Amino acid sequence: MSAHQDTEPGLSLLIDAPDAQPALLHSGLASLEHGQPIGPDTAFNTGSVAKQITAHLTLLAARDELLRLDQPAADLLPRLKISDITVADLITHRSGLRDAESLLSLAGFRDLDHYTADDLRTLAYQQHQRALPHGAFLYSNTNYLLLAEILETVHRTPLPDLAHRDVFTPLGMHGTHFKADPRQVVPRAASAYQATDHGWQHTQGPATVPGSGSLWSTPGDLDRWLTHLHHTWQHQQLPWQDTLAYTPSDHTPYLYGPGLYASTRGDDAAVFHYGHEQGFSAAVHLESGGLRVLCLSNNTDAPADHVTAAVLENLRAHPSAGHGQVLAEAAKTRRPTRPTPPTRDESGPHTDMGTFTCDQAPGSLRLTRTTDTLHLWRRGTRDPLTRSGPDTYSGNGYTLTLPDSTDSVGSFTLDLKRAPGLQYIRQ
């Protein structure tokens, strides 16, 4: 079924249950400029949904004895300085490696700045100790960036070609591609948009990082993938669990395994993952009984994880409702409106407190102080910091901790969600 809206970007949404016909809904436009509606062959950037493909390929390589899951990753990545990280640690986000894209943001990288996978690997290889204790979970795209390099090393084949050969072509996923170059044209690709006060705005950036993301796919192709994943699950508690243990993750009580979060509560165990990349969002959900729900969105106001959660809630609350009706209701889901923070008067003079660097992150940061506010500067961009404790200040996605007074700062610690424990020293 379709519910085209001719003025907004939208989404594709699918429910596929055992003993029932799949229900598929397309809403909105793939391209606002060309008035092209979203359809069954529209390809979306699926973001971190790519991780389960990369993990699957790594487990196949282990099965074929091209590598071992308990093998030190440094055996295959000579530039990696932390010697006790295993291949399994990378898959399950227990390496302690900081997220390289988060580190780039500290250098003031902006939406339209170009960077490559090798730029990110360089940051990964500069890390000489874990950001968290051994065995702790830290979700980091760096792990899957390195897994992609490992796969290309042991197979001597680029990851996009390997994925086509071993997964996409055998499963008939002909509309699915790892995009390895921002100049590459993806057939029937949607554009992604966000709403602004001045209308819709493009959100894609000139960066592609296959392995951790950069996977383009269609709802039908992802349904084929989930069907295959379910077939591998038939005699196990969770997919691939006989090969790789699922362990606690950053979202209690969910576990994390081969590129998949897992829930073992209730009657049906389930595996799932969400993706957000360059304005696109994606969500895939598979239950042990065979139910498959997935959503692909090119509208930042309609996040795929929120829409999928609405589908599952409606299915549980109204089990007799038709799947088409459930999809139509869920497709109306929009991100809650966030209140605009009050504007503070920052017209006073800034007192310079120094320039700071960290050996684990690129570039430098600068601190200034006005009458009652600290400000962190990155490549000319200023973040006013809000005091959140006696020695802590909150910024845009991070926390800054001072060891001494704000009158004379010699160092500070910066904790980002995916790159904690960065020690900055005044120059």
Side-chain angles (χ1 to χ4, degrees):
M1 65 179 291
S2 64
H4 295 308
Q5 300 173 5
D6 59 7
T7 60
E8 296 185 357
L11 51 80
S12 283
L13 187 55
L14 181 144
I15 299 176
D16 200 350
D19 304 321
Q21 288 295 317
L24 179 62
L25 179 145
H26 310 296
S27 174
L29 298 178
S31 170
L32 301 186
E33 295 82 353
H34 300 290
Q36 180 64 41
I38 292 172
D41 295 327
T42 301
F44 296 76
N45 186 336
T46 69
S48 289
V49 167
K51 289 182 172 66
Q52 57 201 278
I53 304 296
T54 305
H56 184 80
L57 289 167
T58 307
L59 295 176
L60 291 179
R63 182 200 65 186
D64 295 339
E65 299 183 350
L66 297 175
L67 54 82
R68 301 189 321 275
L69 297 182
D70 62 355
Q71 182 175 5
D75 288 355
L76 303 163
L77 303 170
R79 290 188 290 166
L80 183 62
K81 294 179 180 177
I82 308 174
S83 61
D84 63 345
I85 294 173
T86 67
V87 174
D89 288 336
L90 296 176
I91 297 174
T92 57
H93 294 295
R94 309 192 94 75
S95 71
L97 289 169
R98 298 179 179 91
D99 182 71
E101 288 177 285
S102 297
L103 296 176
L104 271 187
S105 72
L106 294 174
F109 267 67
R110 295 162 290 206
D111 290 343
L112 295 180
D113 286 333
H114 176 67
Y115 57 87
T116 67
D118 199 53
D119 292 329
L120 299 180
R121 290 190 187 105
T122 297
L123 291 177
Y125 294 136
Q126 288 177 0
Q127 300 182 46
H128 50 74
Q129 61 185 16
R130 295 172 182 260
L132 295 179
H134 188 281
F137 186 96
L138 176 62
Y139 190 100
S140 172
N141 289 314
T142 300
N143 294 316
Y144 278 75
L145 179 70
L146 298 185
L147 285 172
E149 186 175 3
I150 285 173
L151 287 169
E152 293 181 345
T153 297
V154 299
H155 283 282
R156 299 182 181 179
T157 302
L159 178 65
D161 296 342
L162 176 65
H164 266 289
R165 186 191 74 192
D166 290 353
V167 178
F168 304 151
T169 298
L171 296 182
M173 299 170 63
H174 302 302
T176 301
H177 314 268
F178 270 116
K179 188 174 181 179
D181 187 316
R183 297 166 296 185
Q184 179 182 343
V185 175
V186 175
R188 295 174 290 280
S191 296
Y193 304 86
Q194 65 178 357
T196 71
D197 294 338
H198 308 290
W200 293 99
Q201 184 179 65
H202 277 279
T203 57
Q204 290 102 307
T208 50
V209 188
S212 58
S214 299
L215 179 74
W216 290 73
S217 192
T218 66
D221 276 11
L222 287 179
D223 193 34
R224 292 182 182 91
W225 161 250
L226 292 180
T227 300
H228 171 73
L229 189 62
H230 187 246
H231 287 161
T232 70
W233 192 353
Q234 297 301 308
H235 303 294
Q236 305 169 44
Q237 185 181 354
L238 293 168
W240 285 102
Q241 193 168 19
D242 59 342
T243 303
L244 182 77
Y246 285 68
T247 54
S249 74
D250 52 347
H251 295 298
T252 306
Y254 301 125
L255 307 176
Y256 200 92
L260 293 162
Y261 284 95
S263 171
T264 56
R265 300 178 300 167
D267 296 333
D268 273 319
V271 292
F272 62 93
H273 213 292
Y274 305 136
H276 299 84
E277 188 172 343
Q278 300 183 13
F280 291 95
S281 60
V284 295
H285 176 94
L286 170 66
E287 296 185 355
S288 59
L291 174 68
R292 302 182 291 284
V293 177
L294 63 90
C295 180
L296 303 172
S297 172
N298 69 334
N299 183 338
T300 57
D301 286 341
D305 51 345
H306 292 200
V307 177
T308 301
V311 170
L312 294 169
E313 183 179 351
N314 289 341
L315 286 174
R316 296 183 186 107
H318 308 287
S320 60
H323 287 172
Q325 177 184 349
V326 169
L327 292 182
E329 284 298 314
K332 301 174 185 176
T333 302
R334 291 296 182 267
R335 187 190 301 275
T337 302
R338 299 175 182 175
T340 302
T343 301
R344 292 183 287 182
D345 182 8
E346 304 293 353
S347 58
H350 285 249
T351 300
D352 185 64
M353 302 177 68
T355 299
F356 301 79
T357 60
C358 172
D359 63 359
Q360 302 287 292
S364 61
L365 303 177
R366 187 164 67 95
L367 279 181
T368 63
R369 176 167 53 83
T370 53
T371 303
D372 58 357
T373 306
L374 282 178
H375 306 263
L376 184 74
W377 297 76
R378 300 178 280 175
R379 198 175 172 186
T381 300
R382 173 177 59 84
D383 287 346
L385 305 180
T386 303
R387 185 184 287 271
S388 53
D391 302 310
T392 59
Y393 297 79
S394 296
N396 183 21
Y398 57 83
T399 300
L400 184 148
T401 303
L402 298 176
D404 39 35
S405 74
T406 58
D407 294 328
S408 177
V409 177
S411 65
F412 61 80
T413 301
L414 206 63
D415 289 293
L416 287 77
K417 180 179 179 181
R418 296 181 180 176
L422 296 166
Q423 303 295 322
Y424 276 82
I425 306 297
R426 183 171 180 169
Q427 299 303 294

